[in-house]
């Protein structure tokens, strides 16, 4: 099975809500659908999702993730999105999900 082109992003979300993540990491497929996601909350707790697995309040998006410039221009929220490397994403995934769930 061919994996295809993947994109990795990190989005900082500036807000005062306790129930929304302050940082989101996503692995996107070639159509920009989320494949894996990690959400970090203000209190340090995490949620993550992949395949049919959802931990905490986190789930994979049902629509493609918009381009980074569109995320940054959201008129209702303050987001700071950026593309990261596969290695950066895998490091966070391994720290927060693989090692964190053992």
């Amino acid at each position: 099975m061919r994996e295809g082109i993947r994109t990795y992003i990190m989005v900082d979300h500036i807000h005062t809500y306790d129930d929304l993540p302050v940082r989101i990491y996503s692995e996107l497929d070639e159509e920009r659908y989320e494949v894996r996601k990690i959400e970090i909350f203000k209190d340090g707790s995490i949620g993550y999702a992949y395949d049919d697995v959802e931990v905490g309040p986190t789930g994979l998006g049902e629509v493609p993730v918009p381009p980074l410039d569109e995320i940054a221009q959201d008129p209702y929220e303050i987001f700071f999105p950026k593309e990261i490397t596969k290695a950066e994403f895998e490091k966070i995934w391994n720290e927060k999900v693989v090692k964190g769930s053992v």
Side-chain angles (χ1 to χ4, degrees):
M1 180 196 299
R2 189 169 166 239
E3 189 173 290
I5 305 285
R6 302 289 179 161
T7 302
Y8 301 87
I9 63 171
M10 178 185 81
V11 179
D12 285 328
H13 185 191
I14 310 303
H15 60 79
T16 59
Y17 306 106
D18 291 332
D19 60 338
L20 295 176
V22 294
R23 179 167 284 174
I24 304 164
Y25 294 91
S26 295
E27 175 183 13
L28 311 176
D29 69 13
E30 58 275 352
E31 296 177 352
R32 298 190 64 82
Y33 282 94
E34 290 179 319
V35 177
R36 294 185 289 172
K37 178 174 19 180
I38 304 165
E39 295 181 324
I40 301 174
F41 295 84
K42 205 183 299 189
D43 67 359
S45 64
I46 67 157
Y48 61 88
Y50 64 94
D51 298 330
D52 291 330
V53 176
E54 295 182 349
V55 174
T58 304
L60 297 177
E62 296 179 6
V63 298
V65 173
L68 296 183
D69 60 340
E70 195 174 313
I71 294 170
Q73 294 173 11
D74 186 303
Y76 304 106
E77 300 284 344
I78 301 171
F79 293 111
F80 294 101
K82 73 175 193 174
E83 192 166 320
I84 61 173
T85 66
K86 178 179 181 177
E88 289 171 309
F89 181 88
E90 294 297 346
K91 181 177 188 276
I92 296 297
W93 185 263
N94 287 329
E95 287 174 4
K96 304 291 185 187
V97 177
V98 177
K99 291 179 184 169
S101 63
V102 175

